[in-house]
Amino acid sequence: MHALALQVDLRFPSSHSLKEKRMLLKPIVDGLRSRFHVSVAEVAHHDTWQRCQIGVALVSGDVATVEQLADQIERFVWGAADTEVLQIERHWLDIDR
């Protein structure tokens, strides 16, 4: 089993309230869940109206599948409207057999 956690730091320069931030974040989170069937959660900057950090969890039986899916997810996030991607980090989870 191979597991990868993506840590995605985002900025919403056009947001002027938490409500606007949620409106910009919702299509990203919902799109990742429905298109890629992954687990997604906002994990930091909950009360900051221009920043967000989301975590995405990917699990598969082979490394190539996880890497391809991570690449597709990163392209999806980079293409989000009114969103600046500050950083995306990949964290492989060690699973002892």
Side-chain angles (χ1 to χ4, degrees):
M1 177 171 63
H2 303 280
L4 175 69
L6 290 176
Q7 181 179 326
V8 182
D9 290 308
L10 303 172
R11 183 173 178 272
F12 304 108
S14 64
S15 176
H16 296 94
S17 69
L18 287 175
K19 185 176 181 179
E20 288 181 10
K21 171 188 163 179
R22 302 278 186 263
M23 289 175 53
L24 293 168
L25 180 60
K26 185 170 176 49
I28 296 170
V29 170
D30 290 349
L32 290 172
R33 286 180 180 149
S34 66
R35 185 178 295 200
F36 302 106
H37 306 287
V38 293
S39 295
V40 183
E42 183 178 359
V43 296
H45 307 295
H46 299 281
D47 296 326
T48 307
W49 43 268
Q50 285 192 331
R51 289 285 310 274
C52 178
Q53 185 178 87
I54 58 174
V56 183
L58 300 86
V59 178
S60 179
D62 90 287
V63 173
T65 301
V66 174
E67 289 177 341
Q68 288 174 346
L69 187 56
D71 291 342
Q72 292 172 1
I73 288 169
E74 287 185 18
R75 281 192 295 276
F76 179 84
V77 171
W78 278 100
D82 299 319
T83 304
E84 291 179 10
V85 178
L86 302 177
Q87 183 174 357
I88 299 177
E89 293 182 10
R90 294 183 181 196
H91 301 279
W92 286 95
L93 308 176
D94 291 327
I95 301 169
D96 295 329
R97 294 182 184 197

